[in-house]
Structure formats: structure tokens, C-alpha cells
């Protein structure tokens, strides 16, 4: 059933987000699948900005999309480019004319292509495939209300369909251009993922193509651009599947051959509702901020609706390109399990070379001291689920003395009166200790000393760990002492002794 381009047809796919302020995790998957498909078939991947809904476009939206794709390593072959110097950028988010971008089919920003859409809308009028509609918003609203009361689907009733389409009709009045959808018959197409589909024409609304503000609607601009940009495959979210019959009718009306379509399964919360904020963050930026690695996030979204092998979950981008197959994408919605993302991220963190990890974690640590950061990161690398966890997990290294409730110094099996003398004995031992100050040496020496003094391991090591970290749970005390150094270790023990005396 897989319909990949014939040998002669070049694979050209596109990712056309609207600059609404952030990139949704579902959009990242769409971008990624398009990218994988293009790379797998030696084709081209195009970024196009769909900003014709002016109310929804936000300043900085384009920049944030481009930066996020850059972060994710999803490189596009054609598309808009950001102005090189932010200081020189004029008020438009891209800078004037920068929608031209790289590639031969620009501009790649729809608001810079308005004349093109106008030309095709007028062509459709001339061919009687579209018509001017001068119905007022008030009439349309009354129509909608009446249809709702009658429990009918809300749609345009075609009042202007019969008019002459002359320019006279629209003189001095506000108008839109609507597609003249056939009233009979069916619109059929084949989707690579969903198979053969057909829709009754009589149920399809006379879609607005040009709005009264002179801007095209998504439907017109999308079809015109996909055709002019020579798109071979449209790979997008399932939420657009219901628009597809309109698009097919538009291709027909314009006399163009439609591309192939693949509508990707919806992303779902664990209760099978559509993925929303309730389950977790949905903006890719939020994941970047929390310190998810790009390899992990890419791996995670790649498997939302597609898993080439039952026995494997970690894939490099090259493996994904190799394995990617639209025919293997599931039809049914994909439940997004963020625990799996944490697991994947932890796994990528554990396997990352330490120096690389340190560079990535520096923004999460309150220090510029790379040597110290390296030690702290090495200590946490095994446990870390995401880079942002590091700030909290290692905070106690970067304060003068950590503060904590004195009660937590008490080892559960020993009386509270023993805490201060035990810590004092340890302090005296360490202050006389002149062996190597590293975790292994400290561990052997302290354990031997405990044995010689016939003390319990817990009654010494528990308060020592709390004194050094200020926490109930932390890495072993020897590792912490090694990183803190002798002076800071002794200072923390002295502070703990003072607290313990008041217990
Ligand atoms: N601009 C649409 C969006 O924001 C594009 C949908 C499509 O791929 O056709 O997702």
C-alpha cells in the first residue's frame, strides 16, 4: 500500500507551521517524520511559515520555530532564514524580504506571497469554480444560529452561489471568495496511513478561500504553495484529515495533480483525550528548558506512532532515517508517556561522554568552575533523569553551609546524645588524617577507623552524610567529602556538632 514517489519523481516534503508562539511537541513529530522521510528517500525538506491568520501569529513566533528546529538538528533544505544581525532587524519578524530564504521556491513565508494567492483565487472565479460572497457576518451568524436550533450541521447555505460573479457585485461591499463545492458525488483519495477514503460532497462546506481582509485562508494558501513548491508528499497531523477533501477539490478546480497524503495519528493523554497541558508541557521549549537532551526528545517523539522493532527503543537519528517507513506508522492515536521520556533521557545522559555532559549542564549550575562542575556532574551522571534535576540535586555543593533540621542528624538506631560525640570523633580523626583526599582513600580510612573504635557504621556515616549534604538522601559521604575538600568538610562537621549539642 505504501506509495513512495516513482523513480522519476523527487521527494519533496514540507513542514508548514503557523507562528503561534511555540512549537508543540506534536509539531516536532510532524517535522521529524517529514525530515526522516526526505532523508531516507534522498529528497528535500522545506520549511514554510503559514502566517495568514494574522490574529494567531505572534511576534517572535518564526524565530522561535527556526531556533527550535535548529536545536533539534532538523535541518531544512529550503525555507526562510533569520536576519544575521538581530540589531538590524526591522519590525517584521523576519526582516524585510527574508522570507525569500534559501531555495528556489520562495518566499517561504505566506504573508509575502499574497499576490500569488490572489491570482489563483481570481482564476477560480473566472473558471466559475469559486464565487464572491457578500454575506455579512451578521447574516452568517443568524444562519448559524438557525441551523444549530434545527440541529443541522452549521455551514454556508450558498446564497451567493447563484450570483453573477461580476466585479459589480462586490463594488463597495466587503466580500470573501468561496469554493464552489459540487453538490453531488463524492470526493475520494487515498491516504498512505489511512487507506482509501471518500467523502460526500453535499456534506462539504463552500469553504472560504480569500478572506475579506485580502488574506487567503489556510486551505487556499496551503494548496497553492504545495503545488508551486512541488511538494510530492503531504505528511501532517490527523487533525487536518477532515480538510483534505476540500484540498482535493481545490486541486481539481485548479487543474493540478494532488500530492500524496499521509495523516499522522493523534497524540493522546493517558486517558485517551487529545494531548493537552493537563498531562504535562506541550511546548518543545519547555523540554529544552528542563534539560532534556535533543537525542532523547527526538528518539521519544519518533516513536509516537511508529516503532520499527519491538525489541528496541533507543535509536540514533541515522538509525531512524534508515528504518523510517510511512507504511509502518500506526493509524490509531499514540499515547504520550512522559515517564518513558525520562527513562530515555536518563539513558542518553548515562551514555554521554562526561565532558560533553558538563558543557550541557553548565547553565544549570551556579558556578563557572569547570573543574568543580566536572566532579559534581560525574557524581550525579548515573542518577540524572534530566539536566535541570542537577541544580536541585547538587545545590549543597555550592552553598557555604547547607541548612537543615538538626533532627535529621540522628541515626535511627542510636540515641540523640551520641550524635555530637560521634561527629566530634570523626572530625578529630579527619583533621589529623593526612592520606590522599579522594573518595576511595577516605572510605577505606574511615571504615577502618570505625572498626578499630568498635562503632556502628550507620551511627558515624549517617550523621556525616547529613552534615555534608544537609539532606536525607544524597550520594555517599566519601564522594561528597572528596569534592568539598578537607577545609569545607571539617567546617560542615563543626556546624553539625554545634547543632547536635542542642538536640
Ligand atoms: N499551518 C498548518 C499548521 O499549523 C499546517 C497544516 C498542514 O501541514 O497542512 O499545522
Amino acid at each position: 500500500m505504501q506509495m513512495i514517489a516513482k523513480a522519476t519523481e523527487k521527494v519533496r516534503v514540507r513542514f508548514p507551521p503557523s507562528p503561534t508562539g511555540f512549537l508543540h511537541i506534536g509539531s516536532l513529530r510532524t517535522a521529524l517524520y517529514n525530515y526522516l522521510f526526505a532523508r531516507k528517500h534522498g529528497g528535500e525538506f522545506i520549511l514554510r511559515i503559514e502566517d495568514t491568520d494574522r490574529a494567531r501569529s505572534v511576534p517572535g513566533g518564526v524565530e522561535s520555530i527556526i531556533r527550535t528546529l535548529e536545536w533539534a538538528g532538523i535541518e531544512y533544505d529550503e525555507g526562510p532564514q533569520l536576519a544575521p544581525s538581530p540589531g538590524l532587524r526591522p519590525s517584521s519578524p523576519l526582516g524585510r524580504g527574508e522570507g525569500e530564504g534559501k531555495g528556489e521556491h520562495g518566499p517561504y513565508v505566506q504573508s509575502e506571497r499574497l499576490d500569488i494567492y490572489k491570482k489563483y483565487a481570481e482564476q477560480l472565479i473566472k473558471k466559475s469554480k469559486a464565487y464572491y460572497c457578500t454575506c455579512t457576518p451578521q447574516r452568517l451568524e443568524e444562519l448559524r444560529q438557525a441551523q444549530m436550533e434545527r440541529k443541522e450541521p452549521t455551514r454556508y447555505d450558498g446564497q451567493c452561489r447563484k450570483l453573477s460573479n461580476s466585479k459589480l457585485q462586490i463594488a463597495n461591499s466587503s466580500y470573501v471568495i468561496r469554493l464552489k463545492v459540487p453538490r453531488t458525488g463524492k470526493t475520494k483519495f487515498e491516504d498512505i496511513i489511512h487507506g482509501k477514503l471518500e467523502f460526500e460532497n453535499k456534506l462539504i462546506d463552500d469553504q472560504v478561500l480569500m478572506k475579506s481582509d485580502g488574506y487567503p485562508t489556510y486551505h487556499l494558501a496551503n494548496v497553492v504553495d504545495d503545488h508551486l513548491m512541488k511538494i510530492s508528499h503531504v505528511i501532517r497531523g490527523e487533525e487536518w484529515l477532515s480538510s483534505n477533501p476540500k484540498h482535493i477539490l481545490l486541486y481539481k478546480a485548479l487543474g493540478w495533480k494532488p500530492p500524496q497524503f499521509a495523516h499522522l495519528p493523534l497524540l493522546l493523554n493517558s486517558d485517551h483525550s487529545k494531548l493537552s497541558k493537563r498531562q504535562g508541557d506541550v511546548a518543545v521549549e519547555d523540554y529544552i528548558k528542563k534539560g532534556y537532551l535533543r537525542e532523547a526528545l527526538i528518539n521519544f517523539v519518533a516513536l509516537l506512532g511508529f516503532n520499527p522493532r519491538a525489541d528496541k527503543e533507543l535509536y540514533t537519528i541515522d538509525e531512524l532515517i534508515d528504518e523510517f517507513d510511512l507504511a509502518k506508522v500506526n493509524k490509531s492515536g499514540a499515547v504520550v508517556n512522559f515517564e518513558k521520556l525520562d527513562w530515555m533521557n536518563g539513558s542518553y545522559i548515562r551514555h554521554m561522554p562526561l565532558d560533553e555532559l558538563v558543557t550541557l549542564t553548565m547553565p544549570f549550575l551556579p558556578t563557572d568552575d569547570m573543574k568543580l562542575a566536572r566532579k559534581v556532574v560525574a557524581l550525579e551522571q548515573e542518577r540524572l533523569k534530566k539536566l535541570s534535576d542537577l541544580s536541585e540535586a547538587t545545590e549543597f555543593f555550592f552553598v557555604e553551609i547547607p541548612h537543615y533540621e538538626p533532627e535529621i542528624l540522628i541515626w535511627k538506631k542510636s540515641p540523640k546524645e551520641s550524635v555530637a560525640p560521634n561527629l566530634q570523633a570523626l572530625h578529630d580523626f579527619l583533621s589529623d588524617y593526612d592520606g590522599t583526599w579522594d573518595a576511595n582513600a577516605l572510605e577505606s580510612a574511615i571504615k577502618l577507623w570505625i572498626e578499630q573504635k568498635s562503632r556502628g557504621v550507620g551511627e558515624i556515616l549517617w550523621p556525616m552524610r547529613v552534615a555534608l549534604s544537609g539532606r536525607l538522601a544524597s550520594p555517599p559521604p566519601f564522594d561528597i567529602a572528596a569534592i568539598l575538600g578537607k577545609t569545607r568538610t571539617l567546617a560542615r562537621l563543626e556546624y553539625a556538632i554545634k547543632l547536635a549539642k542542642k538536640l
Side-chain angles (χ1 to χ4, degrees):
M1 214 253 284
Q2 170 90 316
M3 298 174 290
I4 306 303
K6 291 165 211 87
T8 50
E9 196 187 347
K10 181 125 186 116
V11 164
R12 284 178 57 86
V13 291
R14 79 320 184 249
F15 174 57
S18 300
T20 52
F22 67 91
L23 200 67
H24 191 281
I25 197 109
S27 305
L28 181 67
R29 183 194 59 176
T30 303
L32 178 66
Y33 280 20
N34 275 283
Y35 173 80
L36 296 176
F37 186 74
R39 292 293 169 265
K40 165 123 192 185
H41 296 285
E44 275 137 16
F45 172 63
I46 293 126
L47 172 67
R48 181 172 76 223
I49 301 296
E50 299 204 330
D51 60 346
T52 58
D53 187 344
R54 287 187 294 170
R56 286 182 65 225
S57 300
V58 305
V62 177
E63 178 159 359
S64 120
I65 289 167
I66 293 180
R67 298 255 180 263
T68 309
L69 291 178
E70 238 170 54
W71 174 86
I74 301 178
E75 275 172 40
Y76 50 92
D77 305 300
E78 294 176 27
Q81 281 177 306
L82 295 176
S85 155
L88 296 175
R89 209 179 299 149
S91 58
S92 123
L94 289 169
R96 268 171 54 128
E98 269 155 357
E100 283 294 338
K102 55 173 174 178
E104 287 167 12
H105 301 82
Y108 293 94
V109 175
Q110 288 188 329
S111 57
E112 294 182 22
R113 300 171 63 83
L114 298 182
D115 289 349
I116 303 177
Y117 311 124
K118 200 163 162 236
K119 177 178 125 193
Y120 287 106
E122 277 163 8
Q123 219 179 74
L124 288 169
I125 292 267
K126 273 204 201 95
K127 291 206 254 171
S128 271
K129 302 283 185 191
Y131 61 94
Y132 294 122
C133 171
T134 48
C135 289
T136 60
Q138 191 190 345
R139 171 169 194 272
L140 295 176
E141 183 50 31
E142 283 164 14
L143 183 65
R144 214 173 67 87
Q145 290 296 340
Q147 286 170 335
M148 276 177 13
E149 269 162 38
R150 295 197 299 268
K151 303 213 169 6
E152 289 172 6
T154 54
R155 50 208 291 265
Y156 183 58
D157 63 355
Q159 176 170 280
C160 292
R161 223 174 131 107
K162 310 170 227 44
L163 302 180
S164 64
N165 258 356
S166 76
K167 286 264 179 202
L168 226 63
Q169 180 196 334
I170 52 169
N172 305 325
S173 61
S174 165
Y175 68 93
V176 300
I177 296 180
R178 287 182 185 274
L179 180 65
K180 201 182 251 177
V181 174
R183 286 287 160 84
T184 55
K186 288 176 179 164
T187 296
K188 301 178 184 176
F189 61 91
E190 187 156 358
D191 185 275
I192 297 175
I193 296 167
H194 295 266
K196 286 198 166 91
L197 297 168
E198 53 177 54
F199 294 77
E200 293 278 352
N201 288 340
K202 62 173 187 277
L203 299 177
I204 304 173
D205 205 0
D206 279 359
Q207 184 64 52
V208 173
L209 302 177
M210 284 297 258
K211 296 178 273 188
S212 55
D213 62 2
Y215 272 65
T217 55
Y218 154 71
H219 305 283
L220 177 67
N222 191 271
V223 164
V224 167
D225 285 350
D226 283 349
H227 174 75
L228 296 181
M229 294 181 182
K230 299 193 166 36
I231 299 303
S232 63
H233 295 75
V234 165
I235 305 169
R236 63 181 161 204
E238 196 181 306
E239 59 274 30
W240 302 104
L241 188 58
S242 59
S243 296
N244 220 42
K246 293 172 192 169
H247 296 189
I248 299 283
L249 287 168
L250 255 173
Y251 279 105
K252 238 192 225 157
L254 287 159
W256 295 339
K257 176 174 165 268
Q260 295 184 49
F261 296 96
H263 287 86
L264 307 173
L266 292 175
L267 298 187
L268 308 174
N269 293 312
S270 48
D271 64 358
H272 286 240
S273 56
K274 209 174 154 193
L275 183 69
S276 68
K277 280 245 172 215
R278 258 183 307 134
Q279 170 135 1
D281 289 319
V282 290
V284 177
E285 281 97 322
D286 294 331
Y287 290 91
I288 302 176
K289 271 191 221 129
K290 282 191 205 156
Y292 285 95
L293 303 182
R294 96 170 180 207
E295 292 80 357
L297 198 60
I298 288 290
N299 195 150
F300 178 67
V301 298
L303 301 193
L304 295 175
F306 167 71
N307 195 349
R309 291 153 191 245
D311 58 341
K312 184 171 154 88
E313 292 203 285
L314 298 178
Y315 293 87
T316 62
I317 189 80
D318 287 338
E319 288 171 329
L320 287 171
I321 292 172
D322 228 42
E323 299 273 3
F324 191 71
D325 184 352
L326 276 177
K328 288 192 189 152
V329 173
N330 301 332
K331 239 191 251 189
S332 50
V335 174
V336 183
N337 173 2
F338 288 107
E339 278 165 25
K340 187 142 176 202
L341 173 60
D342 280 354
W343 169 79
M344 277 184 181
N345 207 49
S347 174
Y348 277 96
I349 288 177
R350 278 196 298 285
H351 291 104
M352 183 166 259
L354 183 57
D355 286 325
E356 214 174 298
L357 187 60
V358 173
T359 312
L360 287 177
T361 49
M362 284 314 278
F364 297 93
L365 293 175
T367 181
D368 296 328
D369 181 346
M370 291 289 274
K371 259 166 89 185
L372 174 60
R374 201 170 190 282
K375 290 181 195 164
V376 165
V377 174
L379 191 57
E380 290 293 330
Q381 184 167 10
E382 281 299 306
R383 263 180 294 269
L384 223 51
K385 292 264 186 300
K386 48 189 185 296
L387 304 183
S388 59
D389 292 345
L390 202 63
S391 329
E392 216 271 322
T394 65
E395 203 185 8
F396 61 86
F397 282 109
F398 303 101
V399 292
E400 188 58 33
I401 299 261
H403 292 281
Y404 49 90
E405 292 301 321
E407 286 72 22
I408 69 170
L409 286 165
I410 308 168
W411 163 240
K412 57 181 186 292
K413 291 183 195 150
S414 57
K416 62 180 181 182
E417 296 73 31
S418 67
V419 178
N422 281 341
L423 283 173
Q424 188 63 56
L426 174 70
H427 175 272
D428 297 345
F429 170 71
L430 285 179
S431 105
D432 291 344
Y433 173 81
D434 57 4
T436 321
W437 196 271
D438 70 23
N440 285 338
L442 284 168
E443 178 167 3
S444 316
I446 294 173
K447 284 188 172 163
L448 185 64
W449 170 78
I450 291 175
E451 215 180 296
Q452 285 163 353
K453 295 270 161 201
S454 309
R455 302 211 192 223
V457 175
E459 63 177 326
I460 301 293
L461 296 191
W462 175 270
M464 173 183 177
R465 211 182 43 67
V466 173
L468 299 189
S469 68
R471 297 181 175 209
L472 287 168
S474 75
F478 319 109
D479 295 283
I480 306 177
I483 294 176
L484 289 175
K486 187 166 180 171
T487 315
R488 293 178 73 201
T489 298
L490 293 178
R492 288 185 186 205
L493 289 175
E494 282 152 26
Y495 174 74
I497 293 165
K498 244 195 267 162
L499 291 183
K501 282 188 177 153
K502 292 189 212 140
L503 278 169

